[in-house]
DNA sequence: CGCAAATGAGAGCAGTGCTCTTATAAAAGA
DNA sequence: TCTTTTATAAGAGCACTGCTCTCATTTGCG
């Protein structure tokens, strides 16, 4: 009999509870041990169950990893979405969104590593991770669209795109942020890469010895990149 | 007896040869299997020797990993250094250096992942990796210094730094690129993060479905960021 | 030539992901 | 209520991993 979906049977509820416990334990182990060192057996030990029992809930280690990845993407996406409407003016919205992403990354570094670091060896992200993975980008796109509607996005006429890129950016704009100029879309993508590049470098320790006041440097970067994209300062 | 260093004894030469063979086999396995899946036993099998014998040459798996990392850093550094003097004008030098980094990354993705992706679980980079890791950054710094000396670097007076960042960037400039304005140093670091952020996103597949013509997009980015830093177009 | 050092091979330990069979508990049907 | 079906748990086992030990062999140097 197919479960009705909304109303969960007693068995289903306890099953979901166990699933949740496994995920919690796995996340704890992830935080302490690191991404690829996530061991199903260790999680099982932690929970006092046989390793084989865990396979009733996750058919493979990658399956468990996927659950963690989806959770991380969703958590980060929610933070970014919430922050993208804070403050006054588009530039401040942009900055707050960036700050939210960084704050999340620094508070949950192993999970940031999981989703924005190198792919875990042998792991292939399944289809269902695509949607949650896009949330941050969509939040930034919405930000862009609002700024454009409010007239707070100025286009630099000296920015020229080659035709191939122009048509691509135009298509991208039509899909997600109608009305925004192709050159601004391209710049926004550049800024997006900058944002995650900088956060990754900070999380992965690549800034060590170069920059001490990472807070100030980050503020400088998001301000500069915000203006680069075309946000008009309030 | 300490080996004289320059002249290698017969034993030392064959030892170095075996070491080299192991590294080659390891790199091959790295390329096919991925970063964290590098197995000492597998490379031993490949070379037809017992796994325990490999431990005569590398005292741990991390030790072998370090050798690969150093080799990768040096290879990338050499490419960047060579490219940073190609072409006419600072902006073109900058662009060629960026192109070289990207070309290297795309041609050796697993090794790029090894050095710029998430740290391998449980692996702690030893001190001796610091120097080769800095080569790319130093190449870019030299580029900046030359551009500044040639008067091809213009400072945007509207760029203001907070005092803490100003002193830091000034100290950084004094150390590596004397004469370059603090605001330009900060912008160069932003551009550096952008460069590796974009390349990482491309290598890790995060650009999939967003940008098709990654070549054109990269050209746009390095041109835009080059101007952002202050390189005067030739 | 002989000796000491370097090397190779093998066994073994503790760990991993994963699969299989067997036992048990719980829900569903008669 | 009793039986049957189904989900879960447990354990053994396979093939693999990094790494350490011992023991035999080779090899180069004095």
């Amino acid at each position: 009999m197919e479960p009705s979906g909304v109303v969960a049977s007693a068995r289903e509820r306890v099953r979901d509870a166990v699933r949740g416990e496994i995920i919690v334990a796995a996340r704890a182990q992830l935080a302490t041990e690191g991404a690829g060192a996530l061991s199903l057996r260790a999680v099982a030990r932690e929970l006092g169950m046989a390793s084989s029992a865990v396979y009733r809930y996750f058919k493979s280690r990658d399956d468990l990893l996927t659950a963690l990845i989806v959770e991380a993407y969703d958590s980060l996406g929610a933070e970014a979405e919430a922050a993208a409407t804070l403050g006054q003016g588009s530039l401040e919205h942009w900055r707050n969104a960036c700050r939210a992403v960084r704050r999340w990354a620094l508070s949950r570094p192993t999970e940031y590593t999981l989703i924005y670091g190198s792919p875990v060896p042998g792991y292939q992200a399944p289809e269902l991770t695509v949607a949650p993975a896009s949330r941050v980008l969509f939040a930034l796109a919405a930000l862009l669209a609002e700024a454009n509607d409010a007239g707070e996005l100025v286009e630099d006429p000296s920015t020229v795109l080659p035709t191939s890129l122009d048509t691509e950016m135009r298509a991208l704009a039509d899909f997600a942020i109608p009305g925004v100029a192709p050159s601004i879309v391209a710049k926004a993508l550049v800024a997006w890469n900058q944002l995650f590049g900088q956060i990754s470098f900070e999380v992965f320790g690549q800034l060590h010895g170069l920059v001490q006041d990472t807070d100030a440097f980050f503020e400088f970067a998001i301000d500069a990149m915000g203006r680069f994209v075309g946000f008009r300062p309030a």
Side-chain angles (χ1 to χ4, degrees), chain A:
Chain A
M1 174 84 60
E2 272 293 301
S4 51
V6 181
V7 179
S9 72
R11 195 158 226 168
E12 279 216 321
R13 276 186 295 121
V14 66
R15 185 185 166 81
D16 284 7
V18 175
R19 250 187 89 101
E21 276 182 53
I22 294 175
I23 289 183
V24 168
R27 190 158 60 217
Q29 196 192 327
L30 193 74
T32 59
E33 302 302 318
L38 175 65
S39 154
L40 246 165
R41 287 180 113 113
V43 173
R45 249 197 315 274
E46 182 77 20
L47 267 56
M49 55 166 67
S51 67
S52 57
V54 181
Y55 283 83
R56 298 279 147 165
Y57 299 90
F58 296 94
K59 74 169 196 292
S60 73
R61 200 194 77 125
D62 284 7
D63 219 49
L64 175 56
L65 222 51
T66 299
L68 292 170
I69 286 173
V70 168
E71 202 275 339
Y73 271 131
D74 272 327
S75 167
L76 173 60
E79 294 279 334
E81 284 165 13
T85 60
L86 288 180
Q88 288 217 336
S90 307
L91 182 58
E92 191 59 18
H93 284 186
W94 154 259
R95 282 190 289 214
N96 278 326
C98 293
R99 289 174 185 136
V101 174
R102 175 169 178 257
R103 202 180 315 122
W104 189 92
L106 292 180
S107 69
R108 299 167 73 171
T110 52
E111 281 166 275
Y112 177 84
T113 298
L114 194 61
I115 58 182
Y116 283 106
S118 20
V120 178
Y123 174 80
Q124 185 74 342
E127 194 65 26
L128 75 143
T129 62
V130 173
S134 320
R135 282 183 66 174
V136 172
L137 201 56
F138 271 116
L140 296 179
L143 192 60
L144 220 59
E146 281 175 32
N148 192 58
D149 292 347
E152 299 184 12
L153 209 50
V154 294
E155 186 185 2
D156 177 10
S158 75
T159 309
V160 282
L161 299 182
T163 51
S164 82
L165 205 57
D166 188 89
T167 52
E168 247 195 77
M169 293 299 113
R170 201 173 293 274
L172 215 55
D174 288 345
F175 169 67
I177 34 181
V180 177
S183 73
I184 290 187
V185 176
K187 285 184 179 180
L189 285 177
V190 170
W192 171 61
N193 286 338
Q194 201 286 326
L195 172 65
F196 281 91
Q198 179 155 343
I199 293 176
S200 293
F201 267 16
E202 184 174 358
V203 172
F204 300 162
Q206 218 102 19
L207 254 54
H208 255 76
L210 266 178
V211 181
Q212 258 79 46
D213 193 347
T214 50
D215 286 359
F217 179 54
F218 185 76
E219 285 298 319
F220 171 77
I222 61 178
D223 185 72
M225 292 312 286
R227 290 163 196 271
F228 167 79
V229 171
F231 290 107
R232 178 186 294 165

